[in-house]
Structure formats: structure tokens, C-alpha cells
Amino acid sequence: MVRFFNLLMTLAILGVVGFIGLIWYSDKTFDAPGPLKKVATIEVRRGATFTSIIPELEAKHIIPRQGPLRIFIRGVSSANKTSALKAGEFALQPGMSMRQVMNHLTEGRSIQHTVTLPEGWTSYQIMERVQFSDILQGDLPPIPAEGSLLPSTYAFLRGTTRQEAVEHMQEAQRKALADIWANRADDLPLKTPQELVILASIVEKETGLAEERPHVASVFINRLRKGMKLESDPTIVYGMFGGKGKPKDRPIYRSDIRRPTPYNTYVIPALPPAPIANPGIEAMKAVAHPKASDDLFFVADGSGGHAFAVTVQQHNANVAKWRKIEAERKKQAKAAAKDIAKKAKELRLSN
């Protein structure tokens, strides 16, 4: 009986020592440098658990093979972080301990990927980029109204839905427009924020030079005040082809200028019924605070910008200069093509 009691006591002591040893070993292993040799990424999907991501963590050598002791899960449980796993894409650094991995997946910042939407893109073009982004997931929502998306560079977590991304762009536009409209100049001939967006979309399409936007905006503002037609070429294109844009091999014919569409500002008396693109913040600010000028006309000047004029006579002179520049460029291009053809022929003959 005494021997049996002594055996039980010995087994109990060994069990306690073993349990304490297991705890010590688990803690030591949980805090020991991990096997990862170079930066690795892991994507944690919504609804994932620590248990469900262990195979990937092991396969990428982020944590050691767990075996029956399941030290990683035990450590997560001991830290009361079983339900704290965050969804997202995470970058894990070489040598991270299991504790550091746990902390990074519950407290660290997810990797963010940028999606850039250029100013002046139509909603159709923007939705094409959203559709083919490998960062976003889910179905593509319907194409939003023109002018309702704010062109910018956005940072998204991998796995963000396309619906969420589009809603974020729309909210950014609403906030930007509300601020710009609230701080606009006095006495603009614009009745609503939507009219500001419409005119800003035309300004955006008319010039690629940021410093020119307020000047271009002033021309259109002056025309609206005088009851003049805006006569903007981009409105011809949008009225004919919509958000998909004009085919590259399709020129604008003289007959297109008078083609009646709801958007053609050579035909309609004022603003189009809706924007022709999604203007950026600076284009909207340019319309809200146009340059002080009396100009009513502008035409390309050959340098990438425009020549502005107050009178028709001044404008016609600027147009004549532009046409001369165009003719000279066509002449030079023709001569260059002829020279290339000549050299190619000489090369063939020499061979």
C-alpha cells in the first residue's frame, strides 16, 4: 500500500514537472526566432481563423511545423487573441517569432495597394480599371453617373470588393465637391454643384496643363455670362461616342461640329445636361475660382498650351498662327517619312 502511494506521488510530481516543463518549452519556442529567411506575404480572408491559416504559415516557413504540441495555437489562446485575427494582406519579416507573427496578424497594418484613376477619365474608363484590378474582388457594379467619381490615387487592401471601392470613390467626390461648392467665388453663373462638375469636366478635357485650367475656366464662365455657346470640341466627341470615347482612327469631320446631340455645345445654348468626364479636384477648383479675364476664345498655340483672346479678330489671328504651325509640322513629318523610306531602300539595295 505504501509502495503504491509512493508510486502515485512520484507520478504526480513527474506530471507536474512535465507540465511545467511543457509550459516553459512552449513559451520558449513561441518566442524563439522563426524559420522565415526572407519577407513573405500572407492573405487572410474574411472569416479565416488562426487554425485555418496554419497550413499556409507552415508551407511558407513563417512558423515551424506544429506537430502534436500545436504551440502556435496554444500561444494565441494564452494571449486571448483567438478571435482577434484581422483580414488583409500582411508582410512577415525574416526571423519573426510565433508571438511576433501573432501580434502582426492581429495588430499590424495590412499591405495597401494603389489604384490610380487619371483626371478626365469617363466613368466607363474608370470602371474598366476597377474591373481588371487584381487587388479588388467581387462583381462589378453598374457604371456610375458621369462626374460622380473622384479621380485620384486610392489605397485599397487586397480583397476589397469592387462595390466598396466604387462607393469610396463616390464618397470622395461628394466630400470634395461639397467643400469646393461651399467656398466658390461669388456671382458665378452656375446654379448647382452639378453644373460646376459639368463645366469642370469640360475644362478637364480641354487642357492638360494644370496652370491653364483657371484661364480656360474663365473663358467658359465669361461665355455663360454673355449667353454665348461654349463651343467646346470635347463635347462633340462625347455627344457622339459617350464614355467609350472616339475610335483613334476616326477623325472629327466638319459636319460633326453641327451634329445635333444633347452634349454638343456648338449646337446647344449652354451647358450639357451632364458631365462629359470625371474632373479632378483642381479642375473643379478652377471653375470655382476662375482667372479674372475678359477672354472669350482660345486655341492651341503649338507648345502644348493655348493662346487666349478677347475678340474674334484676335482669335482668328491666333487660329491662323496655329494652322501655320500645323502645316509646318505635317510638312516636317512628311519629309521625315520620305527620308526614312529612302534610307530603308538604300539599306535593302546594299544588302
Side-chain angles (χ1 to χ4, degrees):
M1 186 67 179
V2 173
R3 287 182 178 179
F4 180 70
F5 177 76
N6 289 339
L7 177 61
L8 290 177
M9 288 296 295
T10 300
L11 291 175
I13 292 171
L14 290 175
V16 171
V17 171
F19 179 72
I20 294 173
L22 177 61
I23 293 176
W24 175 84
Y25 175 77
S26 297
D27 286 345
K28 184 176 178 61
T29 305
F30 195 59
D31 288 314
L36 190 61
K37 301 300 182 185
K38 60 182 181 180
V39 176
T41 60
I42 179 171
E43 181 182 357
V44 179
R45 297 187 178 277
R46 295 175 186 178
T49 64
F50 275 108
T51 299
S52 68
I53 67 171
I54 281 180
E56 185 175 359
L57 293 174
E58 291 177 330
K60 291 185 174 181
H61 305 291
I62 296 170
I63 63 173
R65 294 286 176 183
Q66 291 301 284
L69 293 180
R70 296 167 55 84
I71 292 174
F72 183 63
I73 290 298
R74 290 178 183 274
V76 170
S77 179
S78 296
N80 294 318
K81 292 191 174 183
T82 302
S83 59
L85 181 63
K86 292 170 60 176
E89 186 179 16
F90 299 89
L92 288 307
Q93 300 300 316
M96 272 188 163
S97 69
M98 286 186 276
R99 186 182 300 279
Q100 289 172 321
V101 171
M102 173 194 71
N103 288 336
H104 195 70
L105 297 180
T106 57
E107 302 170 9
R109 289 180 61 86
S110 300
I111 299 173
Q112 293 193 321
H113 302 269
T114 58
V115 176
T116 298
L117 308 174
E119 292 91 345
W121 269 20
T122 65
S123 293
Y124 179 88
Q125 292 172 307
I126 288 175
M127 294 304 283
E128 273 194 321
R129 176 152 293 183
V130 170
Q131 179 181 5
F132 293 111
S133 171
D134 60 358
I135 302 303
L136 306 175
Q137 67 180 24
D139 295 334
L140 189 71
I143 296 177
E146 208 73 81
S148 66
L149 304 171
L150 182 67
S152 185
T153 295
Y154 294 93
F156 293 117
L157 301 178
R158 184 180 294 279
T160 299
T161 68
R162 291 179 171 85
Q163 180 69 46
E164 290 170 336
V166 170
E167 289 174 356
H168 182 65
M169 298 169 196
Q170 290 174 316
E171 180 61 21
Q173 172 68 344
R174 282 191 289 269
K175 289 181 178 179
L177 179 57
D179 180 64
I180 292 169
W181 180 254
N183 294 284
R184 69 192 184 280
D186 295 331
D187 301 325
L188 291 178
L190 303 170
K191 299 176 182 177
T192 65
Q194 177 70 352
E195 288 190 350
L196 186 147
V197 176
I198 292 171
L199 187 53
S201 72
I202 296 174
V203 171
E204 193 76 85
K205 299 297 284 187
E206 282 283 8
T207 180
L209 298 180
E211 62 272 18
E212 263 198 355
R213 290 180 185 129
H215 202 165
V216 171
S218 75
V219 170
F220 292 129
I221 290 292
N222 291 340
R223 280 177 164 260
L224 286 174
R225 284 181 174 142
K226 290 179 177 290
M228 298 174 65
K229 293 175 181 177
L230 298 186
E231 297 185 346
S232 169
D233 290 354
T235 64
I236 299 174
V237 175
Y238 192 87
M240 293 173 60
F241 302 102
K244 293 183 179 180
K246 179 180 71 66
K248 292 182 179 180
D249 59 349
R250 203 291 195 179
I252 295 296
Y253 301 111
R254 187 174 296 275
S255 60
D256 294 331
I257 296 175
R258 300 302 171 188
R259 183 188 294 268
T261 74
Y263 290 86
N264 187 351
T265 54
Y266 282 86
V267 177
I268 62 176
L271 290 170
I276 62 171
N278 291 278
I281 285 179
E282 294 308 315
M284 291 190 288
K285 286 182 177 179
V287 171
H289 296 277
K291 180 179 179 179
S293 83
D294 296 320
D295 294 322
L296 296 170
F297 308 92
F298 61 88
V299 68
D301 64 3
S303 69
H306 294 85
F308 295 83
V310 176
T311 67
V312 172
Q313 292 76 13
Q314 292 171 342
H315 179 59
N316 288 340
N318 290 335
V319 170
K321 290 178 183 178
W322 168 237
R323 287 176 178 169
K324 185 177 180 180
I325 292 171
E326 275 191 311
E328 182 60 30
R329 287 179 176 175
K330 288 179 180 179
K331 182 180 177 180
Q332 291 175 355
K334 187 176 180 180
K338 186 176 180 181
D339 185 56
I340 292 172
K342 180 181 177 181
K343 289 180 178 179
K345 183 178 180 181
E346 291 173 351
L347 183 61
R348 287 195 302 269
L349 292 175
S350 65
N351 291 333

